Amino acid sequence: MARHGGRGWYGRVLAAAVGVTAVAAATSVWTAQAGQADDPRAEAGVSAPPSASAAADRAPAAVAVDIAHASDAGAHGVNITIDDGPDPVWTPQVLKVLEENGVKATFCMVGTQAQAHPDLVKAVVAAGHRLCDHTVSHDTTMDTKSEAYQSQQILDAERMITQASGGVRPLYYRAPGGAFTPYSRTLAASHGMRPLGWNVDTKDFEHPGAAAIVATVKNEVSNGPTILFHDAGGDRSQTVAALREVLPWLKQQGHSFGFPVR
């Protein structure tokens, strides 16, 4: 998995995260939907009633620790994954394209972004998409850091995303730039978040042009079903344009759309 370097936007995110996590690091609060992994409504992205106090006190079931790539939609399934948001400009546009094409996706959210835009997190959930923990500050070198640091990055982001969503927990964990460690995978899995990889990196963060993004998907989808796009970290107009073209193309090729296996 390639490291995504050169994105200065994350320096600002990290600066913001320092202030946030200084307060947050002392606790990792489970909120309204602690039983999500066991609740079929939660698997569909629908919140349980706030009065479900028994579920709120129950830890999520552990999942497999190996990095998921397969789709629950079967041999011809593909998984659309959207990283780094939510973003007030681009996330609504991505959601619109997905809705127009009847496609559900997995949104890998940065904790500080989720905390800043809870309305967008709720919109993602309401549309039937799934949530993924993408750490507090998108540190692509976190595999070189201490276990305490990795824990803070993963668990504080989980808390931020869960609170922003109104109680719906992330079902996956994607390490920034693929910077997984055995410890981070085990920690995430113990909290019900399956480590999530990718098979097709569209490199849309490099702004290669919509046509190049589409060509990457067409040329590399045979590598596996999980496709990586971004909805934050810069101008994502090329991503939006590429999704408009590539989603119908994938359907024409006989692909169905699913979620990563858990």
Side-chain angles (χ1 to χ4, degrees), residues 15-244:
V18 169
V20 171
T21 56
V23 176
T27 182
S28 181
V29 179
W30 295 118
T31 52
Q33 207 169 13
Q36 181 179 14
D38 303 314
D39 189 335
R41 293 169 301 183
E43 289 290 322
V46 178
S47 298
S51 60
S53 57
D57 294 332
R58 189 167 65 245
V63 294
V65 301
D66 56 307
I67 299 172
H69 295 89
S71 176
D72 66 7
H76 297 288
V78 293
N79 308 317
I80 302 300
T81 64
I82 313 290
D83 281 20
D84 298 357
D87 179 273
V89 174
W90 304 112
T91 301
Q93 295 186 45
V94 169
L95 285 172
K96 182 179 179 182
V97 175
L98 293 170
E99 181 182 15
E100 290 170 349
N101 288 275
V103 173
K104 305 303 181 187
T106 300
F107 284 76
C108 299
M109 295 186 174
V110 173
T112 50
Q113 291 295 105
Q115 188 173 62
H117 306 290
D119 55 328
L120 294 177
V121 182
K122 291 179 176 69
V124 167
V125 171
H129 306 292
R130 287 186 179 179
L131 302 177
C132 171
D133 181 330
H134 204 35
T135 74
V136 172
S137 54
H138 201 281
D139 181 356
T140 59
T141 67
M142 64 181 290
D143 56 339
T144 68
K145 307 293 179 60
S146 70
E147 290 182 355
Y149 176 83
Q150 295 176 55
S151 177
Q152 173 265 316
Q153 284 284 307
I154 295 167
L155 298 186
D156 280 1
E158 179 192 23
R159 176 187 54 78
M160 292 174 181
I161 294 166
T162 301
Q163 289 182 344
S165 72
V168 178
R169 282 193 172 117
L171 295 179
Y172 307 92
Y173 164 64
R174 174 174 276 167
F180 289 101
T181 66
Y183 173 79
S184 67
R185 290 191 292 108
T186 300
L187 177 66
S190 73
H191 283 253
M193 298 183 291
R194 179 74 182 267
L196 176 59
W198 63 82
N199 304 104
V200 180
D201 184 352
T202 64
K203 293 186 170 57
D204 55 345
F205 62 90
E206 295 180 351
H207 305 106
I213 296 169
V214 171
T216 296
V217 175
K218 291 181 176 181
N219 292 335
E220 298 185 15
V221 69
S222 60
N223 294 342
T226 301
I227 307 173
L228 171 59
F229 297 93
H230 296 81
D231 64 341
D235 184 338
R236 297 291 168 241
S237 56
Q238 294 178 5
T239 301
V240 174
L243 283 168
R244 285 200 181 98

